[in-house]
Amino acid sequence: MRKRTVALIVVAAVILALLGGAYWAGRHLFFEPTARGVDSVVAELDGERVLGVFAHPDDEQTVNGLFFRAHQGGAYTAMITATQGEAGHQTPVVARQEDLGDIRKAEALKNSFNLGVDRHVVWDYSDGGVPEAGEDELVSRVVAEMKRVRPDVVVGFWPESGATGHADHMEMGRITELAIAELAASGGSYSGPKHLVYTISPSGALSVFGGEAGAFVVANQPKPEYAMSAEVAKKHEGWTIHASQSNYMQESYILPTWLIYALWDQEFYHVRDLEADPLG
């Protein structure tokens, strides 16, 4: 009996060791060695007014931690979403496809409210067609929203990779930079933000699970300087709110959503100091 007990203990220990090793190997895929951990990127930059510029409903899921902690720290927060996501793939199917744009717009507004965002505008550019939209009009609208919000921190996509390789993301990243450069050159009472913060995807995970698009992102995005809490509870709440996309993470990364966020519990950011390194 004692031998059997010892054997069971040994087997249990081996299983625990294997599970622990697998867990830490998984966490390594969602770790960025260049990124310094901070409580809040916005607080680190002394930000008081924050504007996010995105392409689709649910893009704000990449920045839950940043916006939630900015709100908790007393910053005014706002978002732009350029499309209503009407061309998206429902996972699971929750509505008629022709109604998807209305539904996803409502999901985005509800999710940003859950994060404490003060203002959120959702435009109606074609989902998947942002690169074909008029550049001058897009820049003008982003400039107008920046003048209204007057952010000292703008959060958006790196134009060469767009966090996921989506053409709409990359275009909105480019438009954001053009809008900031136009404001800086305008000589008006508000000359633009002090910092531009780019959301960065974990390179290890993209290399393993991201396929061709993931490899493209890894090859074209900068290394992040900052890591902060992803506010995992808010991530889960966000996917519940985004009911039409609630299985997105599992479809994208193969692993169940709860396991992904057990491993991916940080957000990563690359920051451009626009006073030291202006655009344009």
Side-chain angles (χ1 to χ4, degrees):
M1 191 68 179
R2 289 180 180 174
K3 289 182 179 180
R4 186 175 181 181
T5 301
V6 170
L8 289 172
I9 291 171
V10 170
V11 169
V14 170
I15 291 172
L16 287 172
L18 290 172
L19 289 173
Y23 172 75
W24 286 109
R27 279 191 65 85
H28 182 73
L29 295 176
F30 294 92
F31 173 74
E32 290 289 343
T34 61
R36 175 172 63 91
V38 296
D39 288 335
S40 166
V41 170
V42 171
E44 194 74 11
L45 301 175
D46 295 323
E48 296 180 351
R49 300 181 70 82
V50 186
L51 174 66
V53 185
F54 307 115
H56 310 110
D58 81 15
D59 285 350
E60 77 281 354
Q61 280 289 95
T62 64
V63 294
N64 299 60
L66 184 147
F67 274 86
F68 184 65
R69 292 205 169 185
H71 166 72
Q72 286 188 316
Y76 178 90
T77 56
M79 289 182 180
I80 296 169
T81 301
T83 81
Q84 296 182 6
E86 72 280 357
H89 166 63
Q90 296 186 57
T91 174
V93 175
V94 300
R96 294 178 293 271
Q97 188 67 25
E98 59 265 30
D99 296 330
L100 186 59
D102 292 334
I103 288 165
R104 293 194 69 192
K105 176 180 178 179
E107 290 171 349
L109 294 172
K110 184 177 179 181
N111 193 33
S112 64
F113 174 78
N114 189 51
L115 294 172
V117 172
D118 297 287
R119 172 178 168 81
H120 190 175
V121 294
V122 182
W123 296 337
D124 58 358
Y125 291 99
S126 174
D127 181 9
V130 175
E132 285 71 53
E135 176 185 294
D136 290 345
E137 179 182 314
L138 277 167
V139 171
S140 177
R141 292 188 74 177
V142 173
V143 165
E145 191 64 15
M146 287 185 182
K147 286 182 176 178
R148 176 166 184 162
V149 175
R150 301 176 74 87
D152 45 26
V153 175
V154 168
V155 182
F157 294 117
W158 184 253
E160 284 74 34
S161 62
T164 66
H166 197 298
D168 285 355
H169 292 189
M170 291 189 284
E171 181 66 359
M172 286 310 294
R174 188 179 75 87
I175 293 297
T176 301
E177 291 190 348
L178 290 174
I180 290 171
E182 182 172 309
L183 277 167
S186 69
S189 61
Y190 172 69
S191 59
K194 295 179 180 179
H195 294 95
L196 178 53
V197 177
Y198 302 95
T199 176
I200 301 299
S201 301
S203 295
L206 283 182
S207 297
V208 173
F209 299 110
E212 188 174 325
F216 171 82
V217 172
V218 171
N220 289 281
Q221 71 178 3
K223 298 294 184 183
E225 296 91 3
Y226 293 104
M228 63 170 290
S229 170
E231 294 291 347
V232 167
K234 288 295 179 184
K235 300 282 190 195
H236 287 296
E237 290 172 9
W239 290 121
T240 299
I241 291 168
H242 283 285
S244 68
Q245 307 297 308
S246 59
N247 292 335
Y248 172 80
M249 294 300 292
Q250 184 165 330
E251 285 196 3
S252 299
Y253 286 99
I254 305 170
L255 303 173
T257 302
W258 68 265
L259 180 56
I260 292 170
Y261 286 130
L263 302 172
W264 186 8
D265 59 358
Q266 290 187 309
E267 293 172 356
F268 304 104
Y269 295 99
H270 171 64
V271 176
R272 183 168 188 161
D273 182 335
L274 295 169
E275 294 181 337
D277 184 21
L279 292 161

